[in-house]
Amino acid sequence: MRKLLFTLVVMMCATLVVNAQTAQEKALKEAEKAAKLADKNLKNGKLQYEAALAFFNDEMGDKKDLDRAQMYAERAVKIAQEFPSPKDTLQGLSCMVLGLVHLQKNNAEEAMKYLEMSMDGFNVELGRNDPVTNGSKLVYGYMMINSYPLRGFPKVMESFFDNAMAPEDKRIENMAEANILLETSLEMLIAQQTKMFRYALPMVTYKDQKYLVVETTDWCMERPLVGWLVPSFMEDEEACGAQGDDLILVDDNINFHVFKGEERHQVQLQFNFKHFMRNPKHLEANPDDTRIWFLEPENYKNVLNKYREFKAAAKVTE
């Protein structure tokens, strides 16, 4: 019986190998056939796209030809740009293949560029409420998250918003199941921004002198800067040891200045930016308004240590 089972397993494995080889050979033949058609019709964008897709076919296994897929996809993209048609999806589809090819080649920047062009292409060719457009924004936007959260997250969020606003007959029906993509995208965006602002503090002007803010009524520099404007949602004031209505600033010499009660309203954390067509490359703002000031890591740690010493001393004298 064991010998019979072993024989059956061997036969099954042999069958799977034969089937895999057959599928690969078939895919290779189809790719070469598509390539010949594309080469004979160099102005036909659809044939260039189909050739690119054929050489990118997973059934080709280790015979997948990324270079030829890229060549035909680039041809298709060029045709789509030279002869744009609002009724086809050539740019969206060919840029999609080109983006995925670059992704497999580990060319992250090129991959992101073409995936963005693919989403933009679907947006123009099909409209922002089309399920193809929103599905591509969801999937390709999420694919961008690991390398470029700031570029990928808006696409994912936009896909949910546009899908909700689309006519009922055009909506992706089970979009709610993909909420995990929206949530994890947000987590990665927050992580990136937290890291970016890790060694930064708000800077304010008080009586013509610049100060860094190290503590407000419900936030302090013990916590990363991201989230400092909405700390009431975090319910974690004790982690900073906040002192009720206190506002604490630090000057260039690392001297701390405490504003208690109504005194803290003398210091205004305000900012306002204006943008005019007469000078569109420049934002107009009051130089004395609040800004975010980035410190070198060592300088930040020095201020933090001094802040901790200051807080410890304040507790002793209470």
Side-chain angles (χ1 to χ4, degrees):
M1 184 67 178
R2 290 177 61 187
K3 185 176 181 181
L4 177 61
L5 287 173
F6 177 76
T7 303
L8 288 172
V9 169
V10 171
M11 289 176 63
M12 287 174 64
C13 290
T15 301
L16 289 172
V17 171
V18 170
N19 287 339
Q21 289 177 339
T22 302
Q24 186 182 61
E25 290 170 0
K26 183 180 178 181
L28 280 166
K29 288 179 181 178
E30 292 295 325
E32 292 298 342
K33 182 180 177 181
K36 287 180 180 179
L37 277 174
D39 291 340
K40 288 179 180 179
N41 299 274
L42 294 175
K43 293 185 178 181
N44 189 316
K46 182 180 178 182
L47 292 178
Q48 307 305 317
Y49 161 72
E50 289 176 350
L53 199 61
F55 283 110
F56 194 66
N57 189 345
D58 286 335
E59 289 189 350
M60 293 181 69
D62 59 354
K63 300 295 184 181
K64 182 186 287 189
D65 196 328
L66 296 180
D67 290 335
R68 294 180 77 181
Q70 180 178 338
M71 180 186 73
Y72 287 108
E74 286 174 346
R75 286 185 188 177
V77 171
K78 185 176 180 181
I79 292 169
Q81 292 175 336
E82 289 180 352
F83 307 99
S85 172
K87 294 185 179 180
D88 67 30
T89 54
L90 182 59
Q91 178 172 321
L93 291 171
S94 54
C95 285
M96 172 196 70
V97 174
L98 199 48
L100 295 176
V101 166
H102 279 294
L103 205 59
Q104 286 208 6
K105 286 187 168 188
N106 295 318
N107 299 331
E109 185 59 41
E110 287 295 293
M112 299 306 107
K113 180 181 78 173
Y114 284 109
L115 288 178
E116 286 176 332
M117 288 175 63
S118 174
M119 290 180 268
D120 292 342
F122 288 134
N123 198 61
V124 172
E125 295 159 345
L126 300 173
R128 64 181 294 174
N129 291 328
D130 191 272
V132 172
T133 303
N134 285 326
S136 70
K137 286 179 181 177
L138 176 66
V139 174
Y140 302 140
Y142 189 75
M143 289 171 67
M144 298 166 67
I145 290 292
N146 277 331
S147 300
Y148 301 96
L150 199 58
R151 289 165 70 175
F153 177 74
K155 299 295 184 183
V156 175
M157 185 170 62
E158 192 175 300
S159 71
F160 277 89
F161 176 79
D162 287 347
N163 191 69
M165 299 301 293
E168 192 169 347
D169 63 332
K170 285 198 168 188
R171 291 177 193 163
I172 297 175
E173 298 171 353
N174 60 337
M175 194 72 159
E177 291 183 29
N179 279 339
I180 188 170
L181 300 186
L182 181 62
E183 199 281 335
T184 52
S185 298
L186 178 60
E187 293 276 353
M188 284 186 272
L189 177 67
I190 291 173
Q192 183 204 48
Q193 296 301 299
T194 300
K195 185 176 180 181
M196 175 181 174
F197 291 102
R198 182 64 187 90
Y199 301 112
L201 291 168
M203 174 178 278
V204 296
T205 302
Y206 177 64
K207 294 184 177 179
D208 298 324
Q209 185 174 342
K210 301 291 184 182
Y211 296 89
L212 294 175
V213 180
V214 294
E215 183 178 307
T216 65
T217 57
D218 46 15
W219 171 87
C220 74
M221 68 180 297
E222 295 280 4
R223 181 186 292 157
L225 187 59
V226 173
W228 72 287
L229 281 180
V230 286
S232 57
F233 295 130
M234 299 180 182
E235 299 179 355
D236 192 27
E237 289 82 355
E238 289 185 5
C240 289
Q243 299 179 354
D245 289 336
D246 289 1
L247 173 70
I248 304 177
L249 310 181
V250 62
D251 59 29
D252 290 341
N253 297 315
I254 316 186
N255 295 315
F256 294 92
H257 304 263
V258 181
F259 295 79
K260 293 181 174 291
E262 291 300 317
E263 280 186 324
R264 68 183 182 85
H265 296 298
Q266 299 175 36
V267 183
Q268 297 295 316
L269 278 68
Q270 60 186 14
F271 45 90
N272 184 36
F273 295 90
K274 298 178 182 179
H275 184 255
F276 297 101
M277 292 180 66
R278 63 174 179 264
N279 190 12
K281 293 173 67 177
H282 183 76
L283 295 173
E284 294 190 13
N286 184 344
D288 288 335
D289 280 357
T290 304
R291 297 287 189 272
I292 300 299
W293 189 258
F294 292 86
L295 289 80
E296 291 296 324
E298 287 305 314
N299 291 340
Y300 183 92
K301 291 173 183 176
N302 186 37
V303 174
L304 178 59
N305 289 332
K306 295 292 185 182
Y307 168 74
R308 288 169 175 168
E309 292 172 6
F310 176 79
K311 293 290 289 184
K315 282 187 177 180
V316 171
T317 58
E318 284 180 357

